[in-house]
Each structure stands twice: as C-alpha cells, then as structure tokens.
Amino acid sequence: MNIERCSWANTSEYEMKYHDNEWGVPTYDDKVLFEFLILEGQQAGLSWQTILKRREGMREAYYNFDPERLITLTDVDIEKLLKDNRIIKNRLKVNSVVNNAKCYFKVIEEYGSLSNFLWSFVDGKPVVNHYKTISEVPASTQLSDQISKELKKIGFKFVGSTIIYAFMQAVGMVNDHLISCFRHSEV
C-alpha cells in the first residue's frame, strides 16, 4: 500500500518513522515537551535528520532529558559532554541544556507545569492548518514570536521564533501535516 505523507518525511527511514508516529501528535507531558524543546534548540543550524540520528545518544548523555539531573551538571560534566560523540558538541548548545533545565523549574513554579504554560497560548488545543504544499507552511508565526519572547523573558536559550514554530509542529500545538498527508486527519 502506498501512503501519502508530508514530502519532507520521505528522505530517510528516521524521518518517516518520526513523521508517522510522533510529529504533530498533541503532547501534554512535561518531560516530553522539555525533551522536544531541547532537541529543537540542538537542531539550530543542522538538519532534523541529524538530531533524529543522535536522539537516543542524547537521551543517554542528558539523563533522558531529566531537568532534575541536568541542573546538577558541573563545569567538569559539561567538559566531558563536549567530548561525547552522542550529542551536538557545541558549547553554547550544551550550556543551554543546563540553563533550560533551570528555566523549566521557573515555569513549574509559576505555571504549575510546562504543559500549562505552553498550551495556554493555544487554549489547550491544536491549531489545525490546511496547507496543500510544503511551501505554504511558515517558518514562524506571530504566535511563535510571542511564545519565543515569553520563553526568553524566563531565561530560556535557543528558543527563537523559528525554533519555537518547529517545536509547536513537533508537539502538536499546530497541525501542519499537509491536507494530502494521511496523518493530517489522524492527529
């Protein structure tokens, strides 16, 4: 059987699996949301396929993206991570993981959960778009600008508007599956 999916997801097995099983599925779990926030920041300047290939290694290196563990990382730990081939070995990105874990707790303290904070921008339910072609899908929106601005106020790093829009797509805050894609109606 030949199924139609978003064209970006046809270049590798990693992308197909990710697209078919995760991308665009509404996610309300704080730990999963935090993981995607980190992964999208790590992706800046790289292909998503690079991140997908290293995702399991990053999970191991970053303690399953557990904010409680990440805030305990020392300068010595960070230096070790910068030699670890499982991750993106960029000092700013590694430091952002620790920084963003600290910011995660600021959000929890003020909003009760990361999910409450993020999903409040879309009233708790996905924005469903109806794009016919990949060229119609924006790289950022006024909403991603707003969320990015709020995250930066809290102190998060690697959360520019384009990164946040990709995050919103990944966690299902927006459904940007093309209308011809079999996943559009499923998610």
Side-chain angles (χ1 to χ4, degrees), residues 66-74 98-103 105:
D66 180 354
E68 286 190 28
R69 294 281 309 269
L70 292 171
I71 62 171
T72 67
L73 294 180
T74 64
V98 177
N99 175 78
N100 290 353
K102 292 173 184 173
C103 291
F105 289 105

Side-chain angles (χ1 to χ4, degrees), residues 54-73:
R54 292 191 184 189
R55 187 176 182 186
E56 284 309 313
M58 284 193 276
R59 279 182 175 150
E60 292 168 12
Y62 289 129
Y63 308 104
N64 284 319
F65 299 101
D66 180 354
E68 286 190 28
R69 294 281 309 269
L70 292 171
I71 62 171
T72 67
L73 294 180

Side-chain angles (χ1 to χ4, degrees), residues 46-146:
L46 302 169
S47 73
W48 187 243
Q49 186 170 296
T50 298
I51 299 306
L52 290 175
K53 284 180 180 176
R54 292 191 184 189
R55 187 176 182 186
E56 284 309 313
M58 284 193 276
R59 279 182 175 150
E60 292 168 12
Y62 289 129
Y63 308 104
N64 284 319
F65 299 101
D66 180 354
E68 286 190 28
R69 294 281 309 269
L70 292 171
I71 62 171
T72 67
L73 294 180
T74 64
D75 289 342
V76 171
D77 296 324
I78 290 170
E79 290 305 318
K80 284 182 193 168
L81 282 169
L82 288 168
K83 295 177 182 126
D84 191 328
N85 290 327
R86 297 174 298 176
I87 69 162
I88 305 303
K89 296 187 291 186
N90 172 302
R91 185 175 297 278
L92 292 175
K93 289 181 179 183
V94 173
N95 285 335
S96 77
V97 173
V98 177
N99 175 78
N100 290 353
K102 292 173 184 173
C103 291
Y104 170 90
F105 289 105
K106 290 179 188 176
V107 170
I108 301 300
E109 191 174 306
E110 189 166 340
Y111 300 93
S113 74
L114 184 60
S115 181
N116 289 345
F117 172 71
L118 292 167
W119 281 92
S120 71
F121 290 95
V122 292
D123 295 326
K125 53 189 182 300
V127 173
V128 180
N129 293 313
H130 299 282
Y131 300 122
K132 291 179 182 168
T133 65
I134 201 81
S135 62
E136 294 176 75
V137 180
S140 64
T141 63
Q142 286 184 326
L143 183 56
S144 66
D145 292 347
Q146 181 186 0

Side-chain angles (χ1 to χ4, degrees), residues 152-185:
K152 286 177 182 177
K153 272 190 209 171
I154 295 165
F156 282 90
K157 304 288 185 209
F158 284 93
V159 290
S161 186
T162 301
I163 290 170
I164 292 306
Y165 195 72
F167 167 80
M168 292 168 66
Q169 291 171 313
V171 302
M173 290 175 70
V174 294
N175 178 354
D176 276 354
H177 285 282
L178 301 180
I179 57 173
S180 59
C181 176
F182 80 102
R183 293 292 283 157
H184 185 270
S185 61

